[in-house]
């Protein structure tokens, strides 16, 4: 796949997943052109006004992107692409979770913000009051909480302000997983979750245990010391768990893949909704690349 063109093989997979063209009214912009222009914009991190003329009028491209973002189209396309992998038996349900912080460009921090709130997959049309922008040691930042499958492909995202603690977002992030299969309800629970020492709270372990999800999460040193002073069975993290934990690096590789797009590595979108849409497009093309090779 070149820098600004989606291959015919990739478009054959995702093209039918976008809204159909209306039969009445003004002639619509070609769907593939909108998707390729949007991919170009997020790959390069350029302003919308700098979208090359070969894609057509930049404002028309942006309006289509923004409308689909508000309607949740980009998120649904990602979901349907994941469904293709699930139906073919290609999806690995040993999930890994982590987060990454991205700096917010000054052009993306111009809207008034309130504190609190995060954007959810099922409520992608709503904008959180803080636009998922907060202040941390890195300045104005957004944090992307991501859970991926065992092959390093994104299953779900949650966006928060940069100072949000990882441990408080485990349940919210895992709750966003929704992968339809050939029949029945969409699958939402992985077989196992791998996570680092940012997630080993009692509440998280209890939530996973109640849903029958196996956990590979090491304890922090202070938790181990505290546990030794009390009765009870220690957390099992022997050789077998250590061997499983080595597979957690797939989530780091997933972040690395997504952040090759400059519009993802630094946020210049004013709304969390539109930045989320860019994440969905990048993740969709990552999935498609693994399905078509």
């Amino acid at each position: 796949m070149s820098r600004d063109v989606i291959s015919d093989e990739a478009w054959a997979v995702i093209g039918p997943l976008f809204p159909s063209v209306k039969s009445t009214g003004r002639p619509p912009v070609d769907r593939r052109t909108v998707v390729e222009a949007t991919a170009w914009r997020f790959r390069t991190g350029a302003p919308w006004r700098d979208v090359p003329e070969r894609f057509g009028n930049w404002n028309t491209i942006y309006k289509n992107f923004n409308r689909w973002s508000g309607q949740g189209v980009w998120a649904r396309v990602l979901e349907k692409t994941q469904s293709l992998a699930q139906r073919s038996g290609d999806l690995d349900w040993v999930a890994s979770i982590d987060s990454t912080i991205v700096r917010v460009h000054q052009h993306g921090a111009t809207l008034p913000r309130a504190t609190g709130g995060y954007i959810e997959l099922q409520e992608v049309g709503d904008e959180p009051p803080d636009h998922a922008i907060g202040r941390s040691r890195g300045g104005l930042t957004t944090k992307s909480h991501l859970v991926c499958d065992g092959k390093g492909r994104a299953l779900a995202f949650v966006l928060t302000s940069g100072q949000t603690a990882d441990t408080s977002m485990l349940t919210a992030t895992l709750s966003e997983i929704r992968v339809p299969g050939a029949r029945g309800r969409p699958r939402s629970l992985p077989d196992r979750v791998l996570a680092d020492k940012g997630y080993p709270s009692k509440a998280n372990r209890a939530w996973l245990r109640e849903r029958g999800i196996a956990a590979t999460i090491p304890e922090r040193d202070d938790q181990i010391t505290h546990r030794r002073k009390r009765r009870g069975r220690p957390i099992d993290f022997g050789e077998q768990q250590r061997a499983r934990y080595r597979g957690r690096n797939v989530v780091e590789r997933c972040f690395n893949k997504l952040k090759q797009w400059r519009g993802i590595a630094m946020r210049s979108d004013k709304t969390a909704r539109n930045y989320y849409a860019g994440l969905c497009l990048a993740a969709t093309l990552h999935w498609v690349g693994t399905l078509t090779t």
Side-chain angles (χ1 to χ4, degrees):
M1 187 182 299
S2 68
R3 190 171 184 80
D4 60 351
V5 177
I6 296 174
S7 68
D8 292 337
E9 293 80 5
W11 185 249
V13 175
I14 66 174
L17 306 180
F18 283 91
S20 58
V21 177
K22 293 183 179 180
S23 58
T24 59
R26 184 178 299 178
V29 178
D30 178 63
R31 292 322 195 226
R32 183 168 179 175
T33 299
V34 174
V35 177
E36 289 186 345
T38 302
W40 181 92
R41 186 263 171 179
F42 276 98
R43 279 182 178 134
T44 61
W48 283 103
R49 291 177 181 271
D50 292 342
V51 170
E53 292 183 0
R54 63 179 177 274
F55 293 119
N57 183 275
W58 71 268
N59 197 32
T60 303
I61 298 294
Y62 171 75
K63 285 181 178 179
N64 280 271
F65 161 78
N66 188 55
R67 183 175 69 253
W68 290 352
S69 175
Q71 295 171 349
V73 170
W74 302 101
R76 287 196 295 272
V77 169
L78 173 59
E79 181 182 290
K80 292 175 182 177
T81 306
Q82 295 165 348
S83 178
L84 296 176
Q86 171 72 347
R87 294 178 185 181
S88 64
D90 185 56
L91 206 157
D92 186 341
W93 283 100
V94 176
S96 296
I97 186 172
D98 206 348
S99 69
T100 188
I101 288 180
V102 297
R103 287 290 302 272
V104 179
H105 192 274
Q106 58 183 344
H107 294 165
T110 58
L111 296 179
R113 301 188 302 278
T115 58
Y118 61 86
I119 189 167
E120 298 184 0
L121 179 62
Q122 302 302 325
E123 301 176 356
V124 72
D126 298 329
E127 181 67 13
D130 63 350
H131 309 295
I133 297 175
R135 188 174 294 277
S136 61
R137 283 189 289 181
L140 292 179
T141 53
T142 290
K143 182 176 282 190
S144 300
H145 304 265
L146 179 147
V147 56
C148 71
D149 80 333
K151 297 182 180 180
R153 300 167 299 188
L155 290 172
F157 310 97
V158 170
L159 298 183
T160 67
S161 54
Q163 72 272 16
T164 304
D166 289 354
T167 189
S168 65
M169 297 305 300
L170 181 139
T171 59
T173 306
L174 293 178
S175 296
E176 294 303 304
I177 299 176
R178 186 180 182 277
V179 181
R183 62 177 65 90
R185 293 181 178 179
R187 179 163 178 176
S188 59
L189 299 177
D191 296 326
R192 178 176 292 275
V193 170
L194 312 181
D196 63 16
K197 293 184 179 181
Y199 297 90
S201 69
K202 283 185 178 181
N204 287 342
R205 293 187 189 275
W207 188 90
L208 294 171
R209 190 163 50 249
E210 289 171 3
R211 287 156 180 78
I213 303 173
T216 299
I217 308 175
E219 287 188 297
R220 297 192 305 271
D221 292 342
D222 63 316
Q223 290 178 317
I224 295 174
T225 302
H226 182 66
R227 183 179 291 279
R228 286 172 179 167
K229 299 177 182 179
R230 305 179 63 182
R231 296 180 180 179
R233 187 173 59 183
I235 298 297
D236 174 30
F237 206 79
E239 287 300 325
Q240 190 175 21
Q241 286 284 63
R242 292 191 185 96
R244 292 192 184 106
Y245 186 73
R246 295 188 189 103
R248 195 195 67 84
N249 66 80
V250 294
V251 70
E252 307 293 351
R253 298 206 302 267
C254 182
F255 279 131
N256 183 50
K257 190 76 175 180
L258 296 176
K259 283 190 169 184
Q260 289 180 17
W261 288 30
R262 292 190 177 190
I264 301 298
M266 173 172 282
R267 172 181 165 180
S268 59
D269 296 275
K270 299 183 191 306
T271 63
R273 186 190 70 191
N274 284 356
Y275 180 71
Y276 183 92
L279 277 170
C280 289
L281 176 57
T284 297
L285 294 180
H286 184 201
W287 275 93
V288 172
T290 64
L291 295 174
T292 57
T293 55

